[in-house]
Amino acid sequence: MRAVKEIRRKVRRSQTIVPFGVGGIIDLRGESFVAADVRGWAAKGEPVESLRLARKLGVEGFRSPPVIPSGKAAHVTRLGPTYVRFPKWLFCPQCRYMQFWQPDLEPELRDRRPACGRCAGKPQLAPMRFIQVCRAGHMADIDWHRWAHSRSEGHDQRQCQARRLRFLASARSSGLEALSVVCAVCRAGRNLAGISQKNILKQVRLQCPGTHPWQSETDEADACEEVPQAVQRGASNVYFPITHSALDIPAPAGHSEDDESAREVVDHQLWTDLVNALGSPIYSSFRAVIASQCGVSEDFVEAVRRHHTEEAASKPSVADPDDDLSIAEWAALSVPGSVRNSKTFSVRRTDLGIALDAPASLRELTAAVSSVVVADRVREVRALEGFSRYEPSSGDGEEGEGGRVVSIKRQTGNRWLPAVETYGEGIFIAVDEERLAAWEKIPSVSNRTQRIEYNLDASFKADRLRERTGPVLLPRFVMLHTLAHQFIRQLSYDSGYNAASLRERVYARSHAPSMAHPPQAGVFIYTAAGDAEGTLGGLVRQGQPPNLAETLVRLLESAQWCSQDPLCADSTGRSLANLNRAACHACTLLPETCCEVDNSLLDRTLLIGDGEVPGFFRGVVQAALEESAGAIDLS
């Protein structure tokens, strides 16, 4: 480990969480490295504050990876996080000889790349394409010596202990059959055909060493009984990071218990009735009476109520562990006046700007959308809890069907986790609760959602997805999640941001009956990039009238068709575990960094409808089509 610190390579700070966080593989100009654990930079990490997220994850705080000042990399001691060369088996692209790279050879490079000492010109050594992983989260080099001698013929080949190997490519065949590992001494060899088959390494009598690539020889290995699997180094199932994020929601200014106006509101005789009526039609009446009699605004009363709800939600809850994040964020975005003078959270209410004599499609849109808020500045903290390999974690620990979670906290013994903070802007849209509740009661809508929920219950990702959806999957969640995906796709054309720079937060979770939380019905689309892209102002501009209304109408019109229709529209189950319906890469799916539920629980039908199921925005779509047809007839 000491020798590895002499190598200097560049990586963005935000990438040290995803996709190149602890356990992740990064390729840099023909070199391959894996991110080591956070013990190497613990003393130099910068503190990152997020009390709500720390409370949820059960840690004392977060630290951001240290950085090397720009232009001073050659004059300072190593500050950045540690990355270890992996795989250690390298080969020369000219002579094809393989070399097992040792860490003590790194200082000899002097910031250069490994090169072949046999060939003229010293070509750079390339890392082997295949590695081995297991469901317990371990990763290691394949024992290529054993692979080459697994089909030995004769006594000399079976007894050969030489470590001189060659990675040959043949022009006589194609695919993996053309690649083979051959012993340079006894000529034993085997091609790579079938290496990706399940349990192929078990047939070669290879076992999991129970280690991670960054561990030294003195570190104790885990007793692992999992069967190792051979995968390509860049395969998607090598690394499944487990991340959590939270928006920085400051405490409402002037709304503390010591504030005289706040105490007067809390002491009002209707305060208990107000809290108990949360989510009911009479709630607004109680709020108006308290505001009038206490001489404060209704927003002030709502902010005091939100502050009390936050405190109650911040206490550990076995039934709803994620409420402490969604409740506070929903309240702050739906009541933008509750937080003032914050450097990290600046939101303001706006509207669609639709006049009374506007076309019918825009009037339908106004009736469906109850609130629009633009966020000029938001701060997001994103933390890495751990990772799994070969299969995503089911969230059930070691007994789950998926891969086991390698916890960063358990591995290092720290009471903190690595995290990054990012700043950006966003648009928040809330839909009309009364109209939404009536739509959810339509039998065809509820039945379609129940069929998706059956697949969700049978999925190994059920526990992890339930953290977002709540105990019951509501039709509003699927519909609003699909709206968020279509919104991001449309904004990538209108706002100047690419889709991978945008992220979603869907507020549509259900709550346990014993928890008196208000219903949620909205989406927040925001930028959260680690560079200047988060301050371009493109989203705020698109959130202003008349841009937002035009964007919403266009996204609903584009959601009506897909190049894969009718296969996509008529689907009864798509994607992993059949958790999607009418949604595919051609119409709805987004880059993995955008979606908070792994591109699952999507259905265009619940958004715009079909012949049997009325979509929530069907009225907007039908009116827009009629207006388009009328314009064509007039011309």
Side-chain angles (χ1 to χ4, degrees), residues 218-241:
T218 59
D219 290 336
E220 183 178 357
D222 299 331
C224 182
E225 298 181 356
E226 292 288 341
V227 177
Q229 307 294 338
V231 296
Q232 292 199 53
R233 190 181 71 250
S236 60
N237 62 346
V238 169
Y239 184 60
F240 296 101

Side-chain angles (χ1 to χ4, degrees), residues 141-192:
D141 281 88
I142 294 176
D143 188 343
W144 292 112
H145 176 270
R146 182 180 289 272
W147 177 268
H149 293 80
S150 60
R151 292 179 176 175
S152 298
E153 297 178 359
H155 176 79
D156 293 340
Q157 290 186 352
R158 285 193 292 269
Q159 297 299 321
C160 180
Q161 299 298 322
R163 308 294 292 183
R164 296 178 58 193
L165 303 174
R166 298 183 70 191
F167 183 48
L168 302 180
S170 173
R172 298 180 179 177
S173 56
S174 60
L176 294 179
E177 293 182 359
L179 303 175
S180 59
V181 179
V182 178
C183 178
V185 177
C186 69
R187 304 302 178 185
R190 179 175 179 178
N191 62 35
L192 302 189

Side-chain angles (χ1 to χ4, degrees), residues 255-320:
H255 297 162
S256 65
E257 291 292 341
D258 297 331
D259 186 272
E260 183 177 348
S261 299
R263 286 202 309 271
E264 186 177 355
V265 169
V266 174
D267 293 338
H268 194 278
Q269 59 183 357
L270 294 179
W271 172 257
T272 304
D273 297 327
L274 174 75
V275 174
N276 294 334
L278 197 61
S280 67
I282 201 173
Y283 175 80
S284 58
S285 300
F286 284 135
R287 184 176 59 191
V289 172
I290 294 176
S292 175
Q293 295 182 1
C294 294
V296 296
S297 65
E298 291 190 34
D299 278 353
F300 185 90
V301 176
E302 181 65 24
V304 174
R305 197 275 312 158
R306 178 178 74 83
H307 183 59
H308 279 259
T309 304
E310 261 190 74
E311 290 186 343
S314 66
K315 299 177 181 179
S317 172
V318 176
D320 250 343

Side-chain angles (χ1 to χ4, degrees), residues 577-592:
N578 293 326
L579 295 179
N580 290 339
R581 289 302 184 264
C584 69
H585 284 284
C587 62
T588 308
L589 303 189
L590 292 172
E592 294 182 0

Side-chain angles (χ1 to χ4, degrees), residues 77-407:
T77 57
R78 193 202 67 84
L79 294 173
T82 302
Y83 285 77
V84 179
R85 193 178 300 280
F86 179 83
K88 292 183 175 64
W89 274 110
L90 312 175
F91 71 94
C92 174
Q94 290 186 15
C95 68
R96 311 300 293 188
Y97 271 94
M98 298 172 59
Q99 180 176 355
F100 189 77
W101 195 259
Q102 298 291 346
D104 55 4
L105 297 176
E106 297 292 354
E108 300 178 6
L109 295 177
R110 296 183 180 179
D111 240 8
R112 296 190 300 269
R113 291 169 175 79
C116 179
R118 298 172 178 268
C119 303
K122 295 186 176 181
Q124 179 181 335
L125 297 178
M128 291 295 289
R129 184 189 305 179
F130 284 89
I131 59 175
Q132 70 175 43
V133 298
C134 78
R135 291 178 66 254
H138 301 121
M139 183 169 65
D141 281 88
I142 294 176
D143 188 343
W144 292 112
H145 176 270
R146 182 180 289 272
W147 177 268
H149 293 80
S150 60
R151 292 179 176 175
S152 298
E153 297 178 359
H155 176 79
D156 293 340
Q157 290 186 352
R158 285 193 292 269
Q159 297 299 321
C160 180
Q161 299 298 322
R163 308 294 292 183
R164 296 178 58 193
L165 303 174
R166 298 183 70 191
F167 183 48
L168 302 180
S170 173
R172 298 180 179 177
S173 56
S174 60
L176 294 179
E177 293 182 359
L179 303 175
S180 59
V181 179
V182 178
C183 178
V185 177
C186 69
R187 304 302 178 185
R190 179 175 179 178
N191 62 35
L192 302 189
I195 193 172
S196 59
Q197 294 178 1
K198 194 173 184 179
N199 297 331
I200 188 68
L201 298 184
K202 183 179 180 181
Q203 298 174 13
V204 188
R205 293 180 295 176
L206 288 178
Q207 298 179 343
C208 177
T211 59
H212 303 286
W214 58 84
Q215 291 181 302
S216 64
E217 296 179 357
T218 59
D219 290 336
E220 183 178 357
D222 299 331
C224 182
E225 298 181 356
E226 292 288 341
V227 177
Q229 307 294 338
V231 296
Q232 292 199 53
R233 190 181 71 250
S236 60
N237 62 346
V238 169
Y239 184 60
F240 296 101
I242 301 174
T243 61
H244 302 269
S245 67
L247 298 182
D248 184 11
I249 307 296
H255 297 162
S256 65
E257 291 292 341
D258 297 331
D259 186 272
E260 183 177 348
S261 299
R263 286 202 309 271
E264 186 177 355
V265 169
V266 174
D267 293 338
H268 194 278
Q269 59 183 357
L270 294 179
W271 172 257
T272 304
D273 297 327
L274 174 75
V275 174
N276 294 334
L278 197 61
S280 67
I282 201 173
Y283 175 80
S284 58
S285 300
F286 284 135
R287 184 176 59 191
V289 172
I290 294 176
S292 175
Q293 295 182 1
C294 294
V296 296
S297 65
E298 291 190 34
D299 278 353
F300 185 90
V301 176
E302 181 65 24
V304 174
R305 197 275 312 158
R306 178 178 74 83
H307 183 59
H308 279 259
T309 304
E310 261 190 74
E311 290 186 343
S314 66
K315 299 177 181 179
S317 172
V318 176
D320 250 343
D322 201 51
D323 271 349
D324 59 328
L325 300 183
S326 65
I327 289 294
E329 293 174 8
W330 164 258
L333 291 169
S334 59
V335 187
S338 62
V339 178
R340 300 187 182 94
N341 302 323
S342 173
K343 296 181 179 179
T344 61
F345 189 80
S346 175
V347 295
R348 51 191 170 90
R349 191 184 299 276
T350 183
D351 54 45
L352 295 176
I354 298 175
L356 296 178
D357 58 347
S361 60
L362 296 181
R363 295 199 304 271
E364 281 285 334
L365 184 64
T366 303
V369 176
S370 63
S371 175
V372 177
V373 175
V374 293
D376 297 289
R377 187 170 177 82
V378 291
R379 172 179 176 265
E380 182 195 39
V381 174
R382 200 174 308 163
L384 178 66
E385 181 186 14
F387 62 88
S388 62
R389 300 198 192 278
Y390 194 67
E391 294 177 352
S393 168
S394 64
D396 289 334
E398 296 188 357
E399 299 301 325
E401 297 179 12
R404 293 179 220 165
V405 176
V406 178
S407 172

Side-chain angles (χ1 to χ4, degrees), residues 320-609:
D320 250 343
D322 201 51
D323 271 349
D324 59 328
L325 300 183
S326 65
I327 289 294
E329 293 174 8
W330 164 258
L333 291 169
S334 59
V335 187
S338 62
V339 178
R340 300 187 182 94
N341 302 323
S342 173
K343 296 181 179 179
T344 61
F345 189 80
S346 175
V347 295
R348 51 191 170 90
R349 191 184 299 276
T350 183
D351 54 45
L352 295 176
I354 298 175
L356 296 178
D357 58 347
S361 60
L362 296 181
R363 295 199 304 271
E364 281 285 334
L365 184 64
T366 303
V369 176
S370 63
S371 175
V372 177
V373 175
V374 293
D376 297 289
R377 187 170 177 82
V378 291
R379 172 179 176 265
E380 182 195 39
V381 174
R382 200 174 308 163
L384 178 66
E385 181 186 14
F387 62 88
S388 62
R389 300 198 192 278
Y390 194 67
E391 294 177 352
S393 168
S394 64
D396 289 334
E398 296 188 357
E399 299 301 325
E401 297 179 12
R404 293 179 220 165
V405 176
V406 178
S407 172
I408 296 176
K409 186 171 61 174
R410 283 201 305 266
Q411 286 285 323
T412 61
N414 296 325
R415 291 290 299 164
W416 55 270
L417 292 173
V420 292
E421 58 180 355
T422 55
Y423 293 87
E425 55 177 333
I427 305 173
F428 171 78
I429 298 177
V431 300
D432 185 76
E433 175 62 33
E434 184 176 350
R435 174 178 287 213
L436 183 62
W439 172 77
E440 288 183 310
K441 294 179 181 178
I442 300 176
S444 58
V445 172
S446 59
N447 292 338
R448 189 175 181 90
T449 308
Q450 286 177 0
R451 289 195 293 270
I452 300 177
E453 188 164 24
Y454 293 151
N455 295 125
L456 175 59
D457 290 335
S459 170
F460 66 89
K461 299 194 298 182
D463 289 343
R464 190 152 56 93
L465 294 179
R466 289 293 187 190
E467 292 182 2
R468 299 295 184 185
T469 67
V472 178
L473 178 64
L474 301 177
R476 68 178 64 192
F477 186 94
V478 181
M479 185 274 293
L480 288 172
H481 187 209
T482 309
L483 173 65
H485 276 234
Q486 297 292 341
F487 200 5
I488 290 177
R489 292 171 70 97
Q490 189 63 44
L491 285 173
S492 67
Y493 298 112
D494 298 342
S495 68
Y497 292 103
N498 61 70
S501 299
L502 304 178
R503 289 173 61 86
E504 68 174 11
R505 297 187 88 83
V506 180
Y507 300 101
R509 62 176 291 123
S510 59
H511 302 296
S514 60
M515 307 185 76
H517 294 311
Q520 302 177 358
V523 296
F524 182 50
I525 308 300
Y526 63 103
T527 63
D531 50 22
E533 191 175 10
T535 60
L536 293 176
L539 287 191
V540 172
R541 183 176 62 252
Q542 287 304 125
Q544 304 286 353
N547 298 331
L548 182 58
E550 296 174 356
T551 298
L552 291 175
V553 172
R554 281 198 296 269
L555 76 86
L556 291 174
E557 289 178 338
S558 64
Q560 295 179 88
W561 69 275
C562 171
S563 60
Q564 300 295 324
D565 284 341
L567 295 179
C568 177
D570 297 339
S571 172
T572 58
R574 300 177 70 93
S575 78
L576 190 64
N578 293 326
L579 295 179
N580 290 339
R581 289 302 184 264
C584 69
H585 284 284
C587 62
T588 308
L589 303 189
L590 292 172
E592 294 182 0
T593 55
C594 302
C595 183
E596 60 180 0
V597 289
D598 304 330
N599 272 323
S600 303
L601 308 178
L602 296 163
D603 186 6
R604 286 186 295 126
T605 301
L606 291 180
L607 183 67
I608 47 95

